[in-house]
Amino acid sequence: MLSANPENRVADVLNQLGGCELRFVPQTDLPEGEAYEAFIARTGCVPTREHLHDALNGLVWHRFPRTKARLNAWQAQAIALQGVGAQRGALRDALTLFDENGAVLLAPEPLWQALRAREWQRLFVELRPLWSDAQLILTGHALLEKLVQPRKPITAHVFCHPFAARLGDNIDTAIAQALDAAPLATKPFTPLPVLGVPGWSQENENFSFYDDSCVFRAARLPKP
């Protein structure tokens, strides 16, 4: 169990898990004035605070090391070119969004079509049997933290990419290879209220669960 006890710091526990090329170090190892992402790229060490958010970040590093490394490399490159300003810029903003709140959906094409169109009744009710052939993979550590106390509005930003229906142990490599800086800057993500996914909440077995328009919002009309 991850603990905030000084004698059993989160960073120490993450290091003891093994299998990760990076090391986890206390937050105090981050020099004053140096950007978090730049420090990771320079040292191969991840500053880690004593709470759940950073513990989950460390676990995602263990599960998706190639994906996290690629996101970090682009963050560090952008910082080296532009510095750290009041605003991150389009690319860094998209990278942060995916890193914190991202997900990947492996699903049959009809589910993808309904999700992109935000046709929630079709996605979750009419096409419900197809979800047995789908898999939603959460990559965002802030998203995982929110789900410790599940609430209906919790929404993932799903990376829109035509992944194969089944990737097995190759999912980290597949995500990392699919990421590309230029398209990412456009935020190619689709919102998905995760508790709407069949099996993720007992309440969604009642189809009226999806009638909440404050959560399951219609697609925005194109600007004239």
Side-chain angles (χ1 to χ4, degrees):
M1 178 179 179
L2 297 174
S3 170
N5 189 313
E7 296 180 357
N8 190 27
R9 295 195 302 266
V10 171
D12 292 337
V13 176
L14 290 169
N15 289 326
Q16 291 168 13
L17 294 177
C20 186
E21 295 181 1
L22 281 80
R23 290 186 61 253
F24 299 90
V25 298
Q27 181 71 18
T28 52
D29 283 15
L30 177 64
E32 185 176 354
E34 183 170 7
Y36 169 84
E37 295 90 349
F39 177 81
I40 295 174
R42 178 175 67 84
T43 66
C45 297
V46 181
T48 304
R49 296 167 295 183
E50 297 297 309
H51 54 55
L52 180 62
H53 184 88
D54 284 18
L56 291 170
N57 181 50
L59 292 177
V60 176
W61 267 107
H62 277 276
R63 178 63 184 88
F64 301 104
R66 293 179 178 85
T67 299
K68 292 282 283 186
R70 193 156 197 183
L71 296 174
N72 175 254
W74 281 330
Q75 288 273 20
Q77 289 170 13
I79 290 170
L81 290 173
Q82 304 167 4
V84 178
Q87 296 182 334
R88 293 190 181 99
L91 176 59
R92 288 195 63 214
D93 190 41
L95 292 170
T96 301
L97 181 62
F98 184 66
D99 186 49
E100 295 276 350
N101 209 58
V104 168
L105 178 64
L106 313 181
E109 182 59 26
L111 291 182
W112 266 112
Q113 293 173 358
L115 174 60
R116 290 191 182 100
R118 302 189 193 184
E119 296 174 345
W120 305 115
Q121 288 291 327
R122 176 167 171 75
L123 177 66
F124 292 125
V125 180
E126 295 176 27
L127 299 177
R128 199 173 186 86
L130 292 184
W131 280 96
S132 62
D133 295 322
Q135 184 179 8
L136 180 64
I137 301 168
L138 307 187
T139 59
H141 53 283
L143 177 59
L144 292 169
E145 183 181 21
K146 294 172 189 174
L147 286 168
V148 172
Q149 296 180 319
R151 296 179 298 107
K152 190 175 183 180
I154 295 175
T155 299
H157 286 78
V158 177
F159 177 43
C160 296
H161 184 82
F163 291 102
R166 296 293 178 196
L167 290 172
D169 294 336
N170 296 322
I171 184 63
D172 179 35
T173 300
I175 297 173
Q177 291 177 346
L179 296 172
D180 187 86
L184 270 179
T186 67
K187 294 184 181 177
F189 310 123
T190 299
L192 174 62
V194 295
L195 294 189
V197 175
W200 284 52
S201 170
Q202 287 187 335
E203 294 180 9
N204 73 33
E205 294 177 6
N206 185 324
F207 296 160
S208 65
F209 182 86
Y210 304 105
D211 293 337
D212 187 345
S213 61
C214 291
V215 174
F216 300 97
R217 301 178 181 180
R220 293 179 181 177
L221 296 175
K223 294 181 180 180

